[in-house]
Every structure is written in structure tokens, then in C-alpha cells.
Amino acid sequence: MKKSCIAMLLAGGQGSRLYALTQDVAKPSVPFGGKYRIIDFPLSNCANSGIDTVGVLTQYRPLKLNSYIGNGQPWDLDVSDGGVYILPPYLGAHEQGSWFSGTANAIYQNIAFIEMYDPDNVLILSGDHIYKMDYAEMLRAHQENDAACTIAVQQVSMAEATRMGIMSVDEHDLITEFEEKPKQPKSDLASMGIYIFNWKKLKAALIADENDPNSSKDFGKNIIPNMLGAGERMLAYRFRGYWRDVGTITSLWDANMDMLSTDQINLFDPDWPISSRSPICPPHYAGKDAKIIHSIVTEGCEIYGEVENSVLSSSVKVGEGAKVLYSVLMPGAVVEDGAVVEYAIIGENTVVGRGAHIGAAPDGTDSWSVATCGPDITIRSGAVVPAAAMIYTGEEV
Amino acid sequence: MKNFHGIIFAYSAAPELRELVTHRTAASMPIFGRYRVIDFALSSLMNAGIHDVGVIMQRDYQSLMDHVRSGKSWDMSRKDGGIRLLPPFGMPGYHSGNYFGTMEALNGVGDYIRDIPQKYVVLLLGSMCANIDLNAAGEQHIRSGAPITAICSTTTPPTAQHRYIVGEDGFVKTARFYREGDEEGYTSMEGYIIDKELLVRMMDACAAENHYRFHRDAIAAYLAAGGKMGVYLHEGYYMPIRSVDLYYRANRDMLDPDKRHDLFTPERPVRTRHHSLVSTYYGESAVSSNSLVGDNCRIYGTVENCILSSEVVVEEGAHLRDCVIMRRTTIGRDASLECVIADKDCVIAPGTALKGSEKLPLVIPKGSNI
């Protein structure tokens, strides 16, 4: 059936800057903010925006992501015409198949999937951003301006602009120039990696780009500059709400800390629910001597010690006399009696042994940063893991 | 488990549950800050692989239907079979919507029971809290050779119940109905595994003689005629939800880690309807001690020995002790509540002081503005 707009979610990247946290899983399936995984945000945004067909392009370590998405039921995407589809690279009959060699190539390889829905427009999303956005409004702007491509942009500081794709616009917000990571930015409007394309035009651009041997098959580096160069009408769509890239340990930790206050992003919003596939557990239990301050705690947790300024996912255990400060504990993490976890991220099902000490408070120098333990690690009793450490699954600590 | 069908009785609510069942039946009462009572019967069936289940309803079932829906949460939304909600007046030839007893309720859905394709039927109360290993119970039933097996508890809840005394051959020797206290034998959980053929025979006999009661009529006659009845012993947590007192006790039992881990054993997870919620937030001055707290609460005050459902707000300076608070209830600034059961959607104004006692907790009906 013909659709006005379908979404393609780029979820194949390794997320190498999350190191131990993405050793065995794709970045979009990294737990976030207590109840969620990163991919819940784009999927919920799609469902809330009335986009009921979503292709999820996977490549790197997709197993957990596949089982997490399942039939899409938690996001109400289990519909009869459309729904959520996992799209891994595949082989063809007469030609050699290949891995996705870039973001544009990933979409190119799935042209046949998109054609099944014969959409007027295609929304391109990435799986590493935390935000609430009504894509229907962006689509309206795209259609009203008769744009070939609409790029969601946000105002950033000039310092940040040097690390992002920067748009210069005219008085109608039509894009006049696009620069990837400019040394001297001419504008402060940064691309959020959210694009709506007219499908016919995108398809032509993808095919042309695929035939260019010098192209790196990337939206930011090739497709967008080429379309702009060809004189296509391209619109910048200004977004003013909360939006964070969580591609690095520091940004992931920062964004988790943002969840402690509702004035950054309100996840209590019944008009825009962010849904997740979370296990059903009994309510969390706070023991007799538990102390929980300025923190979020999720079902299934059992807290006997102290928790301050922290984000606890489901089924986290904090033992007696243990302290958790300024930290992010992913589902099933255990902090045994007397252990201290501060300024740290603890991966899923990792056990911090009795009396161990993970991370350290900032000491005022620039070298400080968050200590990270990957998933499924057992940290020995009494072990000390310093600030900025990165512990991988399989390491003995 | 193949060849087993489940029937859940959700048609009644003990009058001793008072205001808590004004808007609902006992089976759909919110409990333990997260669940509805019927989740225990449904999850016990689900964990034994029993997907074909009939739920007998009679009145006040709006909230029950809203909770159970298609049965998806318990994998009971199937291509064939699956869950069936059975309201009164639904079957041809039976036009009394009043059920004077379980046998009458079964006859009220007689055609459904007669059409059950499976050989065995598991009968469970929708108003009890227990995580029953029905795989083990079913195997024992088949092995015993008796056409009916009573599911009994090794514990004795503080209320009148039926008891079965087991003879040396392992079958029921004597039945004692409506007994209080911890005397001889085992407490009946009013759950049975019964051969469908025997169940239909009992239904026909009761219909012919205008008998309505399961225990007093059907079971008593069956045993008097020399019928064999096995007993399956459930050794885990068990509490029937028959009064405000038992409801309050059951909730507070879950503050005990041993009882909680026993009822919520990871081997047989208890499922319930899923809500999209965020985690609970604790403010700078929050105190939470010996309490169970659901998701999406916001706690700025003090909570001691309490069970809080999701979306409860405890404002600054408010103090809750020994309370059970249901979904979306707000406790205003500096309010003080002790031994209170507050139903859903209540608003307790700032500064209000309310006090019940452990023996007689104060019940605040759904939607109250105090």
C-alpha cells in the first residue's frame, strides 16, 4: 500500500566511542535513563508521529537489538500494513552481496524495501540520539516548502559547530551552504542527522552516488552536498527542544544525568510517551537503612545502601553500606555490600564485589572522567578501578 | 502442558473487601504496587504452558476486562483457543445472571465447559495470591489416577477455609468445610485439577437438583459416594484476598524479602499488563525505608513500611507510615498518613492527617478528594 512517509533507522554502526559498552551490542541497544534503550527514542517518536513503517538497518552485533525490537509491539508498531522491519545486509542471486559501506549505501541496498511501500517521502534517522520530536510537523514543513530534502537543525555554540555538519540558510531557512566539521563555521545551525527526502529524488541521488567510485557513500559527506550542488531545494527545519548525541562515554553519562531533572526533557509526558520493552518486575524495594536522594530508580531494584544523583535501571541491587554516587547502573548491575561506585557507568549484569571502589570524584584537573565497566563483568572484592578506566567484558579485575 | 484447560473464577468479591470492590471485582484489585490479583492465576497457568483459559465474570467487570484485554500479556492471545472472557447471560438456555455458587457459575457457562477440547481442567480462584507450579500439580494429577486433585496450601491464612485430611493412601480421607485456624489437614486453595468428564457430570447433577455450591454440594456428594481425590501441596506463599484485613496483610507480607522472593521467583515470573512508564524519581529530601515503590512515582517526602503503586506523588514534608497507596494518588505537602489504604486517583490535601490502625486500616475510596 502506498505510504506518505516511511522511516529508515540507521542502526548498524559500531558505536566504537562507547568502547566496552558496545563490545558485544550495537549502540542503539545500549540501556539509557532507567527504563529505556537508546533506540526507544526514535521508535517512540515514529509511533507518536503516526509513522507506522520503520526499517531498521542493522549490521554490527545485531542479535540483542533484533530480539529487543521483536515485532515492535511495545511501540504499537505491530500493525498489519507496515510495522518495524530489521534489515540486515543480504546476498543477491547473481551479484555478490556486500556489507553496508556507508549510511547512503545502506539505504541504497534497501531501495527494494522502500519501493514496496511506494512512499512519497523517506525519513532517515539514526539510533544514537535522545530527543522527543514530532516528525509529522517536520514532514508538513517539508511538503509546504516543496523541498527535495529537509534537514532538522539545532542552534549550537560556535565551538560545538566545528565538530558538526553546519548549514548556512537564507531568510526562508532554505539551505545555501553545507559544511561538514568546518574549521571556521559560517553559521551555528547544526544538522541533527534527521532527514526527510523526496523519495524519487533521493533514489536518483543514491544511484548516482553508488556509481561514483570516489564517494564514501555517506549522507553528510556525499548525498547532501551533491544534492545542494545540483540546485535542489533544501530546507533547514529548526528544532528547539532537548536533543543529545550519546555517542561517547561522557555524553552518555551527561544525558543520563539530565534525566534527573524534568526541565531538560520531560519523560513523564502522557502526550508523547517513550515506550520500551522492559521486563515486568515487582516494584523496587528500599530497605530499612536505604538512602535514596535525587535519583531515579526502576522496577525490580533492591536498595539497601546509599544512592545519590544516580540513574538505576531495572533489577539493580545495591547492598548494605554500599554507596552509589553520580553513576549510571544498567539493568541487573549489582553493587555488593560496602562497595563504592562514583562517577561511573556500570554495564548490564556486572557485579561490583564487596568493598570494591569504582571511579573517583573530580579532583579539579582536566584529566578526570567517568569510569566505565562493560556488561557481565565480575569485579573482585576490594578491587580499585580508577577514574577514566575502561573495563571490558572478559577482563579480570 | 498439553491437554489442560484453565478456568478462573472472577465473578465474586467478598463483601468484607468493602470500598475496595465498589468499582471492581476482587480479581482485578490492584496489589503489591504493580499487579492485579488475577495476575497470579493467569501467570501460574501461563508458566505451565496452559494458554486456553476461560475467565468467568459476573458483575463490576469493567476494570477486569480493561486489565486482561486480549490476554497478550500472558501469551494467551492465540490463533486457536487463548483467553475467553465469559460474562453472564452469554450462553443459550441459561438466563439467570445471579450465581449463588461456583456450580451455578459453571452451569452459567455450561456450553463453553462442554466444548473444552482438553481432557483436564484447572479451576483457580482469580482472587488469591500464589505462584503455583501447575506443571508439577498437573503431573501429580495424572500420576495419581484420581479424577480430581485439590490444590492445597501448607500455610493457614487467618480466615475460614475448607480443609482436607489425607489418608495413608495419599487420597482425601475427610473434608472439613468452613474451618478457622490451624487444625488437622491442609488448607484448600479452592483450586482443583479435574478431569473434564467428571466436571461435566458434577455440573449436570447439580443442575438437575438445583444445587449451586461447589464444596458443600458437588465435592461433598462426590466424596460421600466414595470418590477419590488427590491433594497437591503448594508450599510457597499463599493469601486469599477476602477482606480488607487480608488485603492489607498480603501487601505488607511483600516487605519481607523471603516472602517476596518466594512469590516472585524468577523460575515462574508473574506477568501483568505493561504500561509505558518512566522510572521513579526521589527528590533531595526524600526518605524511603522498608518500602516497595512502583515506577513513575515522585517522592519528595518520607515513606516508611509502605507499598506504593506507580504514578504516586508524595510531596515535601508528607509522611507515610504503614500505608498502601494505589496508582495516581497524590499525597499533599506535610500530610501525615498512618495505616491508610488509599485507592486509585485520590488527592490528599496538604496538611491532612489520617490514621487507621493495623487491625483496622483506614480505606479511602477511589477518586476521593480529602
Side-chain angles (χ1 to χ4, degrees):
Chain A
M1 198 180 97
K2 184 165 178 60
K3 300 262 177 191
S4 157
C5 186
I6 72 168
M8 297 294 274
L9 207 165
L10 300 161
Q14 181 183 354
S16 55
R17 287 170 304 152
L18 290 177
Y19 306 95
L21 297 175
T22 50
Q23 188 183 346
D24 294 318
V25 299
K27 181 158 61 173
S29 58
V30 169
F32 179 84
K35 287 290 269 196
Y36 309 103
R37 291 179 189 262
I38 296 168
I39 196 167
D40 289 331
F41 290 84
L43 284 181
S44 300
N45 286 337
C46 280
N48 293 336
S49 305
I51 292 174
D52 64 6
T53 307
V54 184
V56 181
L57 298 129
T58 62
Q59 174 155 291
Y60 174 82
R61 297 269 182 192
L63 303 182
K64 278 217 170 136
L65 187 61
N66 293 354
S67 72
Y68 184 72
I69 293 171
N71 66 352
Q73 190 250 323
W75 306 274
D76 262 348
L77 289 171
D78 55 336
V79 295
S80 29
D81 183 32
V84 57
Y85 295 89
I86 307 276
L87 304 170
Y90 59 91
L91 293 175
H94 300 296
E95 63 218 86
Q96 185 93 39
S98 72
W99 296 106
F100 299 148
S101 59
T103 50
N105 176 258
I107 304 296
Y108 171 82
Q109 291 204 34
N110 284 286
I111 286 176
F113 170 81
I114 298 171
E115 299 270 86
M116 288 198 293
Y117 297 96
D118 187 21
D120 297 327
N121 301 288
V122 173
L123 168 66
I124 308 286
L125 300 169
S126 56
D128 48 6
H129 296 144
I130 304 298
Y131 63 110
K132 297 196 299 188
M133 181 172 174
D134 189 348
Y135 303 136
E137 243 174 66
M138 179 170 165
L139 180 62
R140 208 171 302 128
H142 172 77
Q143 287 165 329
E144 279 170 9
N145 285 278
D146 194 25
C149 169
T150 299
I151 301 176
V153 297
Q154 197 167 48
Q155 247 173 350
V156 296
S157 69
M158 281 299 175
E160 283 176 288
T162 58
R163 289 184 278 116
M164 306 179 86
I166 296 300
M167 243 62 66
S168 301
V169 296
D170 67 11
E171 70 275 21
H172 304 295
D173 277 348
L174 289 169
I175 299 167
T176 55
E177 206 179 332
F178 176 83
E179 292 177 292
E180 187 73 24
K181 296 180 184 143
K183 286 206 177 69
Q184 240 112 51
K186 290 179 195 147
S187 148
D188 59 356
L189 294 179
S191 163
M192 297 162 64
I194 301 163
Y195 318 115
I196 294 177
F197 287 96
N198 172 294
W199 172 235
K200 283 198 180 72
K201 293 197 166 152
L202 175 61
K203 189 179 161 190
L206 287 171
I207 292 168
D209 183 62
E210 190 62 23
N211 293 327
D212 174 1
N214 298 321
S215 164
S216 47
K217 317 275 191 278
D218 187 83
F219 274 98
K221 290 191 194 112
N222 310 106
I223 301 290
I224 291 166
N226 289 350
M227 283 178 84
L228 196 60
E232 292 289 1
R233 222 174 135 79
M234 298 176 74
L235 179 72
Y237 174 77
R238 290 172 190 257
F239 178 76
R240 289 188 178 81
Y242 181 93
W243 175 79
R244 293 289 183 279
D245 181 309
V246 288
T248 65
I249 293 290
T250 312
S251 64
L252 179 66
W253 182 86
D254 274 340
N256 268 287
M257 291 299 139
D258 287 344
M259 297 302 121
L260 296 179
S261 98
T262 45
D263 43 315
Q264 296 266 21
I265 177 170
N266 179 16
L267 299 179
F268 292 87
D269 183 358
D271 292 334
W272 204 266
I274 305 297
S275 304
S276 64
R277 185 187 294 279
S278 50
I280 287 168
C281 311
H284 73 262
Y285 177 71
K288 265 203 169 52
D289 303 315
K291 189 177 156 198
I292 311 171
I293 286 172
H294 191 49
S295 293
I296 59 176
V297 182
T298 310
E299 297 189 328
C301 289
E302 304 235 334
I303 316 291
Y304 295 92
E306 266 179 54
V307 176
E308 255 188 79
N309 295 283
S310 293
V311 172
L312 273 55
S313 293
S314 64
S315 300
V316 164
K317 309 267 181 301
V318 178
E320 273 172 40
K323 278 188 186 181
V324 175
L325 310 165
Y326 293 91
S327 292
V328 178
L329 273 57
M330 292 182 175
V334 177
V335 181
E336 292 186 346
D337 296 357
V340 177
V341 173
E342 49 183 345
Y343 294 86
I345 298 177
I346 308 293
E348 281 182 72
N349 301 318
T350 281
V351 178
V352 178
R354 277 168 182 268
H357 197 128
I358 314 286
D363 57 2
T365 67
D366 286 346
S367 66
W368 171 83
S369 83
V370 170
T372 309
C373 298
D376 304 309
I377 300 172
T378 303
I379 307 283
R380 249 184 324 103
S381 294
V384 175
V385 173
M390 176 62 61
I391 313 290
Y392 286 86
T393 308
E395 260 183 81
E396 299 255 335
V397 183
Chain B
M1 243 183 342
K2 273 191 172 170
N3 239 344
F4 282 77
H5 193 101
I7 293 287
I8 298 176
F9 298 111
Y11 67 88
S12 66
E16 291 79 8
L17 285 165
R18 305 196 324 242
E19 301 93 326
L20 294 175
V21 290
T22 317
H23 298 277
R24 54 174 88 91
T25 176
S28 70
M29 283 176 60
I31 194 161
F32 307 141
R34 178 68 170 97
Y35 302 91
R36 301 287 179 140
V37 179
I38 198 173
D39 292 339
F40 293 92
L42 286 169
S43 299
S44 295
L45 290 164
M46 174 194 175
N47 290 324
I50 303 171
H51 300 299
D52 290 2
V53 176
V55 180
I56 301 183
M57 317 186 296
Q58 188 196 25
R59 58 180 73 240
D60 305 325
Y61 51 69
Q62 191 62 45
S63 91
L64 182 69
M65 297 212 313
D66 187 46
H67 180 64
V68 174
R69 302 200 174 193
S70 68
K72 202 179 222 165
S73 306
W74 303 271
D75 291 350
M76 289 175 188
S77 171
R78 316 307 309 168
K79 190 154 58 76
D80 294 311
I83 206 156
R84 275 245 250 142
L85 298 171
L86 304 168
F89 309 113
M91 299 285 160
Y94 193 91
H95 298 293
S96 163
N98 277 328
Y99 298 154
F100 288 109
T102 303
M103 288 318 288
E104 196 177 19
L106 285 165
N107 272 317
V109 297
D111 283 2
Y112 177 85
I113 306 277
R114 268 173 260 276
D115 284 345
I116 287 175
Q118 289 90 352
K119 186 167 179 218
Y120 308 106
V121 179
V122 182
L123 306 174
L124 290 176
L125 288 190
S127 57
M128 58 97 212
C129 296
N131 188 343
I132 307 168
D133 184 353
L134 288 175
N135 257 324
E139 275 172 31
Q140 188 187 311
H141 175 75
I142 294 170
R143 230 182 314 116
S144 77
I148 179 165
T149 299
I151 301 170
C152 291
S153 168
T154 49
T155 61
T156 305
T159 175
Q161 64 249 314
H162 311 312
R163 298 187 75 81
Y164 290 116
I165 300 162
V166 179
E168 278 171 16
D169 58 358
F171 296 109
V172 169
K173 189 172 70 179
T174 320
R176 297 214 167 119
F177 297 138
Y178 302 107
R179 295 305 167 103
E180 259 185 74
D182 209 354
E183 52 175 56
E184 214 185 334
Y186 301 108
T187 309
S188 162
M189 293 167 68
E190 299 188 36
Y192 292 87
I193 301 178
I194 183 167
D195 291 8
K196 182 200 152 189
E197 191 223 322
L198 173 61
L199 180 64
V200 171
R201 256 193 292 137
M202 283 179 170
M203 283 161 54
D204 289 343
C206 285
E209 293 167 21
N210 276 344
H211 285 160
Y212 305 128
R213 304 291 195 143
F214 188 72
H215 289 92
R216 220 170 48 190
D217 299 326
I219 296 290
Y222 173 77
L223 291 174
K228 271 212 260 183
M229 181 191 276
V231 166
Y232 172 78
L233 282 184
H234 168 73
E235 286 173 0
Y237 183 82
Y238 165 60
M239 187 64 77
I241 305 303
R242 266 184 222 148
S243 65
V244 170
D245 175 50
L246 293 179
Y247 174 79
Y248 188 60
R249 263 172 208 264
N251 273 292
R252 290 170 49 89
D253 276 346
M254 288 306 113
L255 295 178
D256 176 340
D258 292 338
K259 288 180 178 158
R260 188 169 67 247
H261 295 151
D262 175 69
L263 186 61
F264 296 103
T265 169
E267 284 149 42
R268 295 189 303 278
V270 181
R271 303 291 195 94
T272 187
R273 198 175 135 219
H274 194 275
H275 296 282
S276 279
L277 293 174
V278 304
S279 307
T280 279
Y281 174 72
Y282 284 93
E284 297 284 355
S285 54
V287 178
S288 172
S289 164
N290 190 36
S291 293
L292 280 167
V293 182
D295 276 348
N296 204 357
C297 291
R298 275 166 286 167
I299 317 276
Y300 302 94
T302 300
V303 175
E304 265 180 279
N305 314 325
C306 290
I307 293 89
L308 269 52
S309 291
S310 53
E311 298 178 74
V312 168
V313 179
V314 179
E315 292 182 356
E316 238 166 276
H319 198 124
L320 275 64
R321 186 179 293 145
D322 302 308
C323 292
V324 176
I325 311 290
M326 297 189 207
R327 220 173 151 202
R328 280 193 303 265
T329 282
T330 297
I331 317 293
R333 218 168 244 274
D334 300 318
S336 151
L337 272 63
E338 200 175 325
C339 299
V340 167
I341 300 175
D343 209 317
K344 285 168 70 174
D345 300 310
C346 291
V347 179
I348 313 291
T352 311
L354 298 168
K355 193 164 183 284
S357 75
E358 288 210 14
K359 286 261 150 39
L360 193 67
L362 181 65
V363 177
I364 302 176
K366 185 176 169 186
S368 300
N369 240 311
I370 292 177

